[in-house]
Amino acid sequence: MTTQSAAADLDDKRIKQMQKTHYPDGRDFNVKSLLLVVQDILSRTALQGRLSDKKMEVTSLQSIFTNTKESLSTIIDQISSQISSQSIRKGDPHEAALSLFRTLKYFDWDAKLVLTMAAFALSCVTLSLLLQQLSISNKFSKTSLAIFGLPKYFEKSELDTRFNEIKYLMELTIKVSNLVIEFRDLPSVYMSLEDPKISEGLERIPVAIYWTIRSVLACLTHIIGKGLQKELSIRDDVGSFQTKGSEGKPEGKAESEGKVEDIPFLTTKLKDEIKYLTEHKDYCEKHTDEKKNFEKYLKLLNVFDTYKEDNMEILKILIPAEKLYYGRWEANIEVLRRKQVILLISNLDLSKRAISVLQDIFYEFRYHRTMRDIQIEMVWIPIVDCDLNTPENEPMKEKFEQLKSKMSWHTLFDPNSLSKEVNRLIKDVWRFRDKPIMVVLDSRGDVVCSNAIHMMWIWRDKAYPFTKSREEKLWNEEKWGLELLVDSIDRTILNWVKENKKYIFLYGGDKIEWLTDFITTAREVANKATIQLQMVYVGQNARPEDQLQPLINKVRENSYYYTVTESWIFWTRIESMLSSRIQMANYDDNEDDTILQEIKKVINYDREGDWVLFGKGSQVFVNGQSNIVLRALKEFDQWKDSLDTKEFGNCLKEHYDKIIKSVDDVAHLCFRFDFPAAVRSQIPRRMICPECHCTMDRKTSFLYCYEDGPS
């Protein structure tokens, strides 16, 4: 057996002996208050590394004694006397510690430790008071020195040196004591012994207390017992002290035996215990916080399910500071009482363009003639994952202030004020990830819609009151066509659609060569067919402004176009239509849903690059791939004779379909739809290819964008 394993076995044996002395009978006192006083006393004695020669303030310690049960004051005095004598007369530190544990057998573990610390502090106070009896020669009186068994002539400076030598170990005993108290204060209802990490931490507390009490005894022995070293020697075989005669020979065991424990050894022991207890305490605190937060979360959910007189109860939970910003001015949460409230939830990446469009929509809500009687307010709740009040996050705070200043509605006073349970509600129940959502609460605080932003983008103020039935009604009034796509983004285009006189090409893409070729070819065909044709460039989804504007500049001379903002609105509406239709179908795909299938085509064609949609009035003839539409136009001479009996739109569609069916001539497009893993609960259970109507394969992919990655 190795020396290390033998030492471990010996330690285990000692701990078991110590645990057999433990018979708590429920005795209790204010352990934490007593420990605070102990720390105060030791901070002016042992933890200073010297004894103060000023008058000690001991009334605080004495008041603790007198204000507790008489037996507690007695036990502290008893332990103080016990450790003072044992540190000199007992040869075995383990036996000395066991004796203390037997004395304290009826107390809980934390009480044993704190009472021992109090007794040690009392001894330090006594030594400090003895300094007041120093003579002019700076020597202790014989009587005073005899109390502690110190030599007849003992310099205060030597006592200060000894205090300095145990200063760090004493600091460690205080740390262990505080850790033990912190463990004790953890709510027992959350401390399940079935959790190995928790049970291991609780089981370790007696071990830590054992070595701390051993350290306290060693400290006192070091202060007092070391004074006899000039007259005592250590017998190596048993470690006990014996007196020597004038010739240095043992004359038998001294009346006061003493063994000074190895201070570095105990220091290492306590450091190990502190590390272990800290790790497990942190785990327990985290576990406790999680349990508490979950309970609060359940209570929050319950509030939504119960009847409420108004919306204040909910709003005070969601907005704990109860203060809002309205532009540059502060506002009280009371301004929202009994009003319908739209919660705009986003991170700080909310675009200025989105804010600008929402400003217009919100203006319609507030001042539209058909909605003047509606009490409705909007509150921006920014979601941040850092503390905006720290210097390193100052840029984030500035961004918050900039966004807030552009809003004509209420904003949260402090983004960091959101509680953990509210954050969880927003992410788990309302399914917020990265893109903005709008949660609508009625005047009683009940959730009318957990995300009305899709309805808002598609129908603007017509979406009111944002209920599911309202969404269904609005969709029942819609049909697939140009009017649904262009809506009122640009009144000129909408008028062309309603007049039903002009053919319209909606197209997008980023290849200058194709755009130029397409515009030229379409104009030539229109002239040959003698039809009225308008061409509208709608840009490309997710294309940054600095990349989209040059494309607009390239086509603007020969084509109508959407501005950058109008293009953003167009594509935001298209994506919102996809999300809304999928939600309406309970996250399933329906091949009979014409609107959904055609929207999927537009999104997928755009992702591939260039695309074209051709129609007239409410009818769409072609929604297809750019290269095939261009080829159909270039082959006009092959189908121009059909114009004698058929409409131009139908003729183009027939030739387009003919090309599509020629498998050998066409590289068929691979349809793909990307859904972030973060919105897994909102991913359709299945997707159907909008062209061949086959069920699409579902795959997982990993994407890394170099521009977003580390430089």
Side-chain angles (χ1 to χ4, degrees):
M1 183 181 292
T2 64
T3 304
Q4 187 174 6
S5 60
D9 287 344
L10 180 59
D11 286 348
D12 289 342
K13 182 180 178 180
R14 289 169 172 170
I15 296 301
K16 289 178 180 178
Q17 289 177 334
M18 177 267 296
Q19 289 176 326
K20 289 180 180 179
T21 67
H22 188 55
Y23 297 100
D25 60 2
R27 301 184 190 189
D28 194 21
F29 61 93
N30 196 332
V31 178
K32 185 181 291 188
S33 296
L34 181 56
L35 181 60
L36 289 173
V37 174
V38 169
Q39 287 181 246
D40 180 58
I41 297 297
L42 294 179
S43 67
R44 287 176 283 172
T45 53
L47 297 184
Q48 279 190 344
R50 63 183 179 82
L51 280 179
S52 173
D53 53 6
K54 297 179 180 179
K55 186 176 181 180
M56 278 292 296
E57 296 286 343
V58 296
T59 56
S60 57
L61 183 61
Q62 292 171 340
S63 67
I64 291 291
F65 295 160
T66 56
N67 290 334
T68 54
K69 297 178 182 179
E70 182 180 353
S71 58
L72 182 59
S73 176
T74 302
I75 197 70
I76 293 175
D77 285 334
Q78 179 184 344
I79 298 168
S80 179
S81 301
Q82 193 172 348
I83 62 176
S84 297
S85 61
Q86 285 181 344
S87 63
I88 298 174
R89 296 172 182 169
K90 293 292 182 181
D92 185 358
H94 172 63
E95 289 298 329
L98 276 183
S99 178
L100 271 182
F101 281 112
R102 292 188 188 101
T103 302
L104 299 168
K105 62 182 179 180
Y106 296 122
F107 290 93
D108 285 330
W109 291 112
D110 56 327
K112 297 179 199 290
L113 177 58
V114 175
L115 287 171
T116 303
M117 295 292 294
F120 176 76
L122 188 59
S123 297
C124 290
V125 169
T126 304
L127 282 171
S128 193
L129 292 175
L130 286 176
L131 292 179
Q132 299 174 35
Q133 301 178 15
L134 284 174
S135 63
I136 297 176
S137 62
N138 201 37
K139 301 292 191 300
F140 283 112
S141 67
K142 292 182 180 181
T143 304
S144 299
L145 294 172
I147 295 175
F148 287 95
L150 294 171
K152 295 179 181 179
Y153 298 100
F154 192 71
E155 297 287 345
K156 172 184 173 294
S157 59
E158 184 175 350
L159 196 58
D160 286 343
T161 300
R162 296 179 186 181
F163 268 97
N164 191 56
E165 290 170 347
I166 65 164
K167 176 183 176 182
Y168 182 57
L169 182 58
M170 284 309 307
E171 290 175 351
L172 295 180
T173 64
I174 293 294
K175 287 183 179 179
V176 173
S177 301
N178 280 304
L179 279 170
V180 170
I181 298 300
E182 289 170 12
F183 253 109
R184 186 205 64 168
D185 288 344
L186 291 171
S188 58
V189 67
Y190 304 118
M191 304 294 284
S192 173
L193 296 180
E194 294 180 0
D195 188 322
K197 200 85 172 176
I198 294 177
S199 60
E200 288 170 7
L202 295 175
E203 290 171 2
R204 190 64 171 254
I205 289 176
V207 178
I209 290 174
Y210 171 80
W211 288 110
T212 305
I213 288 180
R214 281 276 296 265
S215 298
V216 169
L217 292 174
C219 287
L220 200 56
T221 300
H222 188 78
I223 296 169
I224 303 173
K226 196 173 180 182
L228 302 178
Q229 284 186 357
K230 294 181 181 179
E231 302 174 31
L232 302 176
S233 66
I234 302 176
R235 208 176 80 189
D236 294 333
D237 55 342
V238 295
S240 61
F241 288 99
Q242 291 185 331
T243 59
K244 292 184 178 181
S246 59
E247 297 180 0
K249 297 179 181 180
E251 295 181 345
K253 286 189 178 182
E255 182 181 12
S256 298
E257 298 178 3
K259 178 180 178 181
V260 182
E261 278 215 82
D262 186 3
I263 298 299
F265 165 75
L266 292 172
T267 298
T268 301
K269 275 287 187 183
L270 290 199
K271 287 170 69 175
D272 289 343
E273 296 302 323
I274 288 171
K275 180 180 179 181
Y276 190 93
L277 288 181
T278 300
E279 177 187 339
H280 285 70
K281 179 186 72 72
D282 291 345
Y283 173 84
C284 291
E285 287 178 339
K286 182 181 178 181
H287 175 80
T288 299
D289 287 342
E290 289 174 351
K291 291 290 186 180
K292 287 181 177 179
N293 290 332
F294 183 67
E295 288 182 352
K296 292 178 181 178
Y297 176 65
L298 292 180
K299 289 180 180 178
L300 174 58
L301 295 180
N302 186 57
V303 173
F304 279 100
D305 293 334
T306 57
Y307 176 81
K308 300 169 287 294
E309 291 291 337
D310 57 32
N311 55 5
M312 280 294 100
E313 183 178 3
I314 283 294
L315 292 177
K316 286 181 179 180
I317 296 174
L318 298 176
I319 309 172
E322 298 187 23
K323 287 197 299 184
L324 300 167
Y325 278 119
Y326 189 76
R328 297 180 180 179
W329 297 276
E330 290 185 16
N332 191 278
I333 197 175
E334 285 292 328
V335 299
L336 307 177
R337 184 182 289 274
R338 295 191 178 89
K339 293 181 180 180
Q340 190 162 16
V341 177
I342 301 174
L343 303 176
L344 171 61
I345 303 172
S346 77
N347 54 30
L348 297 185
D349 291 330
L350 184 65
S351 69
K352 296 176 182 178
R353 185 165 289 111
I355 294 175
S356 176
V357 176
L358 284 173
Q359 300 270 41
D360 295 337
I361 297 175
F362 190 57
Y363 181 87
E364 295 172 4
F365 278 119
R366 297 290 297 272
Y367 303 109
H368 194 280
R369 61 182 179 85
T370 61
M371 302 183 68
R372 287 175 181 170
D373 296 332
I374 297 173
Q375 295 282 317
I376 189 167
E377 297 286 352
M378 189 152 74
V379 179
W380 178 42
I381 298 183
I383 304 298
V384 296
D385 56 1
C386 61
D387 186 354
L388 298 187
N389 298 314
T390 57
E392 61 268 23
N393 292 320
E394 186 64 29
M396 296 287 284
K397 186 173 184 179
E398 291 178 1
K399 191 172 184 180
F400 163 68
E401 296 292 341
Q402 290 171 2
L403 292 174
K404 181 189 70 175
S405 66
K406 298 181 181 300
M407 297 178 178
S408 60
W409 49 78
H410 299 286
T411 63
L412 203 63
F413 190 83
D414 179 10
N416 292 124
S417 65
L418 286 182
S419 64
K420 292 181 179 179
E421 56 270 21
V422 170
N423 267 293
R424 182 171 182 177
L425 171 76
I426 290 172
K427 293 174 181 178
D428 290 0
V429 178
W430 295 340
R431 297 177 177 177
F432 170 76
R433 295 300 181 267
D434 297 317
K435 293 187 176 182
I437 65 172
M438 283 183 162
V439 179
V440 182
L441 307 178
D442 65 16
S443 59
R444 292 206 309 267
D446 293 327
V447 177
V448 173
C449 181
S450 60
N451 190 8
I453 199 164
H454 303 314
M455 298 172 65
M456 196 86 78
W457 292 136
I458 300 170
W459 296 291
R460 299 172 73 94
D461 63 306
K462 292 180 183 178
Y464 184 85
F466 315 106
T467 59
K468 187 174 181 178
S469 60
R470 178 59 178 168
E471 186 176 18
E472 292 174 351
K473 184 176 186 299
L474 289 170
W475 272 124
N476 289 335
E477 296 171 357
E478 299 287 1
K479 63 179 180 178
W480 172 247
L482 288 170
E483 188 171 352
L484 172 63
L485 292 177
V486 301
D487 192 52
S488 57
I489 299 174
D490 187 306
R491 287 289 177 182
T492 300
I493 302 173
L494 184 60
N495 290 335
W496 291 341
V497 174
K498 291 183 176 181
E499 289 170 0
N500 196 25
K501 295 179 180 180
K502 299 177 181 180
Y503 289 96
I504 299 174
F505 269 122
L506 290 184
Y507 66 101
D510 60 349
K511 300 181 183 66
I512 295 294
E513 183 179 351
W514 179 87
L515 291 171
T516 304
D517 193 10
F518 173 68
I519 294 172
T520 303
T521 302
R523 293 294 185 195
E524 291 174 353
V525 171
N527 290 333
K528 291 179 182 179
T530 63
I531 62 170
Q532 295 185 60
L533 178 67
Q534 290 292 344
M535 305 185 71
V536 182
Y537 179 66
V538 299
Q540 194 173 36
N541 192 17
R543 177 70 61 175
E545 182 174 353
D546 60 344
Q547 297 178 22
L548 181 57
Q549 190 61 53
L551 295 173
I552 294 174
N553 295 339
K554 190 68 178 179
V555 305
R556 66 192 307 168
E557 293 182 4
N558 300 302
S559 173
Y560 205 82
Y561 60 89
Y562 277 157
T563 64
V564 174
T565 297
E566 289 170 339
S567 176
W568 181 88
I569 296 172
F570 176 84
W571 288 110
T572 300
R573 290 185 73 250
I574 292 292
E575 289 184 334
S576 295
M577 290 178 194
L578 176 66
S579 298
S580 178
R581 297 297 288 191
I582 289 176
Q583 287 179 15
M584 290 283 290
N586 292 321
Y587 299 101
D588 200 357
D589 203 346
N590 180 6
E591 62 181 293
D592 297 325
D593 185 342
T594 303
I595 294 177
L596 177 58
Q597 300 309 320
E598 294 299 324
I599 288 295
K600 284 160 58 179
K601 285 183 183 179
V602 174
I603 291 174
N604 206 74
Y605 292 150
D606 173 75
R607 183 179 59 80
E608 292 298 321
D610 309 304
W611 66 279
V612 177
L613 188 144
F614 181 65
K616 181 184 180 183
S618 61
Q619 187 175 5
V620 173
F621 296 106
V622 175
N623 178 15
Q625 303 177 46
S626 58
N627 60 328
I628 302 177
V629 174
L630 181 58
R631 175 177 166 179
L633 290 173
K634 286 181 177 291
E635 294 175 355
F636 173 69
D637 289 341
Q638 297 180 25
W639 51 273
K640 63 181 180 181
D641 293 339
S642 301
L643 295 176
D644 294 336
T645 57
K646 298 178 183 178
E647 185 181 2
F648 178 86
N650 289 325
C651 293
L652 177 60
K653 180 182 185 305
E654 288 176 2
H655 196 70
Y656 176 89
D657 292 340
K658 181 180 177 180
I659 297 173
I660 286 286
K661 292 176 182 178
S662 58
V663 179
D664 295 335
D665 297 331
V666 178
H668 286 279
L669 188 65
C670 178
F671 276 76
R672 187 186 82 201
F673 296 94
D674 299 321
F675 294 91
V679 295
R680 182 172 300 174
S681 61
Q682 302 174 54
I683 298 175
R685 289 183 288 276
R686 67 185 181 112
M687 288 287 281
I688 298 170
C689 174
E691 283 198 346
C692 69
H693 304 295
C694 295
T695 300
M696 302 174 69
D697 293 333
R698 181 169 181 164
K699 297 181 179 180
T700 301
S701 62
F702 297 88
L703 176 66
Y704 175 77
C705 180
Y706 179 78
E707 293 180 357
D708 295 337
S711 57

